[in-house]
Amino acid sequence: MSLRTRLLLMSVSTVAVIVTVLAAIHINSLMETWLDATLDLSAAASRHVQAAVIERVTDRNVKGATTQSLDEVKLAWRDIVISDREVARAMANAMMDSRGIAEINIVGEYGTVLASSNLARVGSPVRTQRSLPDVLDLGPIGRFAAIFRSEADFETRTPIGFADQGKPVFQVQLLVSPALLRTVLAPQLKSTGIASLFAVLVAAALAVLSANIALRPLERIGEAIDTLATGNPLGLVTPQTDREVAIIESRLNLLGEQMHGAREAVASLMRGAAHEIKNPLNAMALRLETLRGMVADDVPEADVEIGKLSAEVSRLDRVVKLFLDLGRPVELELRDFDLRKLIDEAADLVRPGATAHAIELEWERPEPPFPVRADYGLIQQGLLNVLNNAIEAMPDGGRVRVSVWRVGLHCEIRVTDNGPGMTPVVRDRIFEPYFTTKEKGSGIGLALTRKMLQLHGGTASVESDVGKGTTMILSLPVVWSRGS
C-alpha cells in the first residue's frame, strides 16, 4: 500500500470517526429533546383531562355530596366519567394537541378502563406499558433501541382522588407511540445522515488535495533517485522548493556525481580488462589451430573437440568485442539454422553446472523445426547468460525449464526457474548495464543479452514475482530476411 493511500485512509477514517461521534451525539440530543417535549405535552394533556374530570364530577355531583358515603361518591364519579360527553371531548382535544399521544384512558380504581379515546378499550383491563420517564432515563443506546426497535407504547399516569386516600379513584393513562416519535425524528435523522456523508466526502477531497501537496516533494525526490538509477546526473537543485527538500536534492545531486564518476571508472576498468582478455583469447585460437595441425593425422577424432573449443573461443572473443562498447554498432554474422540445435548445445554446456547445484534441467524440445536467420554465436551467448543466471539464483537446487513457442512471426525461448523471484524494483532494472543483485556480479550479462536480441529485431523481457520464480523470454523472428 502506497504512502499516499495510507495518508488518505488515515485522514478519511479519522474524519469518519469524528463525524460519526458527532452525529451520534446530535441524534441522542434530538431524542432527548423530543422525549422531553413529549413528556411535557403528555403532562399538559393529563392535567387537561384531570381538570375536566374534576370539574364534571364536581358540577354534576355537588348536590347530595354531603349526605353520600365515600363509596357512593366514588360510584357517582364513576358513572359521570363513563357517561359525560365533556370528559370525552376533553380527551379528544388533548389528542389533537399532541402528535405523539396515541391513546388516552381513564382507569378506574380496580384497573378497568372507564373511558378512552379508543372506544374498543372501554371495559377492558388496563395494559401496563413502559413508563415514558423511564425511557428518558435510559442511556443513548437504550433510548435509540426503545424508539426505533420497539413497537410497544410508552405511558404516563396521572392520579385523581382524595388527598387522604392512598389509592386514587381514577388514573389518566396517556400512551405515547414510538412509531409516531419515529415519524417526527426520521426526517431529522435523514438530514443528519446526509450532512455527515457530505462532511466525509469533503474530508476525502481535502485529504486527496493535502496528500498531493504534501507528497509532491517526495515525488521530486523519487524522480531524482530514478534519474540517478539511470546513471544520469541530476543537474541543478529545483528552485523555489522547501528547504528540507532542497537539502536532500543537493545531497542526491552530489551522490549522483559520485555515482557517475564511479560508473565511468568501473566501465573504463572493465574495458581495459576486456582488452587484456582479448590477447590470451587470440593466442588460444592460434594455439588451437596449431594443435589441430599437429594431431590431425595421428588422432583424427580430436578434430571435433578442437573444433568445439575453437568455436567457444571465437564466441567469447566476439562477446568481449561487444562488451567493449555496448552502444557501438556490431556487424552480425548471419546464417540459417534450427533454433533447437542452438538450444541443444547451450543446454549441454550448462548441464554440468546445473547437476553440480542439484538443479534439474528440462528442455521441452518441440518436433517442428524453428528456422531462424541470426548470429549463432551471439544468440547462444545470450541464452547461456540467462541459463547461468537461473542456475545461480537457486544455490539450494531447483528446476530450470527451457521451452520454445511460436508467437506470430516470432519465436520465444522461455527459461523458467522456481527460484525466489524478483521484486518489482529489481524486475524493472534487470536489463540495465552494471545493475546486479549478486555479490560478485558485473551487471553486464543481461544487458548484453538484450542488446544481442535487439540487434536481431528481437526483444528480451522478464516475468517474475517474489516467491513465484522467474521466466526470461528471448524473442526472435522466425525467418530473418537478408534485406531486413
Side-chain angles (χ1 to χ4, degrees), residues 45-256:
S46 296
R47 288 193 297 270
H48 179 71
V49 174
Q50 180 189 44
V53 171
I54 294 174
E55 180 183 358
R56 296 308 299 163
V57 297
T58 302
D59 289 346
R60 293 183 56 181
N61 198 42
V62 65
K63 298 178 180 179
T66 56
T67 61
Q68 292 177 328
S69 64
L70 180 58
D71 290 337
E72 291 175 336
V73 171
K74 289 180 181 180
L75 185 59
W77 284 14
R78 181 177 180 276
D79 293 338
I80 293 171
V81 167
I82 292 174
S83 61
D84 194 273
R85 293 182 178 178
E86 292 299 326
V87 174
R89 186 176 294 110
M91 289 189 293
N93 291 336
M95 289 281 296
M96 293 176 62
D97 291 339
S98 176
R99 289 180 295 175
I101 298 176
E103 189 175 306
I104 300 178
N105 299 316
I106 299 178
V107 183
E109 192 174 10
Y110 300 103
T112 302
V113 177
L114 303 179
S116 175
S117 60
N118 181 3
L119 297 179
R121 299 285 188 201
V122 176
S124 62
V126 66
R127 294 184 305 171
T128 301
Q129 305 287 5
R130 175 184 284 184
S131 171
L132 183 59
D134 291 344
V135 175
L136 186 58
D137 291 338
L138 295 174
I141 297 177
R143 277 193 292 269
F144 187 89
I147 295 175
F148 289 94
R149 302 193 63 180
S150 174
E151 297 299 329
D153 296 332
F154 314 134
E155 71 169 17
T156 63
R157 296 202 184 192
T158 303
I160 303 174
F162 301 103
D164 58 349
Q165 187 179 12
K167 189 175 183 180
V169 179
F170 305 116
Q171 288 184 341
V172 179
Q173 181 194 45
L174 271 73
L175 297 181
V176 176
S177 171
L180 295 177
L181 290 177
R182 287 196 293 269
T183 302
V184 175
L185 289 171
Q188 300 189 47
L189 294 182
K190 182 178 179 181
S191 62
T192 301
I194 293 174
S196 301
L197 178 61
F198 178 75
V200 172
L201 293 177
V202 171
L206 292 176
V208 172
L209 180 61
S210 301
N212 289 334
I213 295 175
L215 295 178
R216 193 171 299 161
L218 294 181
E219 291 177 353
R220 289 203 302 270
I221 293 173
E223 293 172 358
I225 294 174
D226 291 339
T227 302
L228 289 179
T230 61
N232 297 321
L234 286 179
L236 297 177
V237 177
T238 304
Q240 296 179 351
T241 187
D242 296 335
R243 179 176 179 274
E244 294 81 1
V245 178
I247 293 174
I248 295 175
E249 288 184 344
S250 176
R251 292 179 179 176
L252 286 175
N253 194 20
L254 178 61
L255 178 61

Side-chain angles (χ1 to χ4, degrees), residues 365-385:
R365 195 175 194 277
E367 287 300 326
F370 279 81
V372 295
R373 183 172 180 78
D375 190 309
Y376 192 96
L378 293 185
I379 298 302
Q380 188 181 72
Q381 181 60 44
L383 178 58
L384 287 173
N385 290 342

Side-chain angles (χ1 to χ4, degrees), residues 4 7 60 73 112-114 118 190 230 261-262 276 293 296-297 306 308 419 422 448 450:
R4 175 181 278 102
L7 287 175
R60 293 183 56 181
V73 171
T112 302
V113 177
L114 303 179
N118 181 3
K190 182 178 179 181
T230 61
E276 294 299 322
D297 296 333
I306 293 175
K308 290 182 178 181
M422 305 178 188
L448 286 173
R450 182 174 64 173

